[in-house]
Amino acid sequence: MSRLPQPIEWLSDNGSPHVVRGTNSFARYVGLVLKTTPLESPQSNGTVEAFVRAFKRDFVHVSECPDAATVLR
């Protein structure tokens, strides 16, 4: 897998899949800069969830996505 041409901030809501060591290592490897929302911040969490919903609606669900690598490309 190739690295991003420039770093991109990746906003996480502190959920357990996003704080595990492997996820953080992978994020750094591909060039993502992991940022987390403040703990117990429903506003920030809502922003993250809205982005994920919009991304899935506008890109993932309307594109041919046979695997995660295709989605990332």
Side-chain angles (χ1 to χ4, degrees):
M1 176 166 289
S2 60
R3 291 185 52 84
L4 298 167
Q6 59 187 9
I8 295 176
E9 288 186 359
W10 176 27
L11 184 60
S12 167
D13 64 357
N14 296 293
S16 59
H18 302 290
V19 296
V20 296
R21 189 176 320 164
T23 301
N24 292 346
S25 297
F26 174 76
R28 283 190 302 276
Y29 175 76
V30 298
L32 297 174
V33 178
L34 184 60
K35 302 288 183 177
T36 55
T37 60
L39 292 174
E40 299 181 17
S41 172
Q43 299 86 357
S44 296
N45 190 43
T47 301
V48 171
E49 290 178 4
F51 170 78
V52 170
R53 252 190 329 274
F55 182 78
K56 287 179 177 179
R57 179 195 68 224
D58 296 343
F59 179 73
V60 175
H61 293 307
V62 298
S63 301
E64 184 177 324
C65 303
D67 54 41
T70 301
V71 172
L72 290 171
R73 276 194 302 278

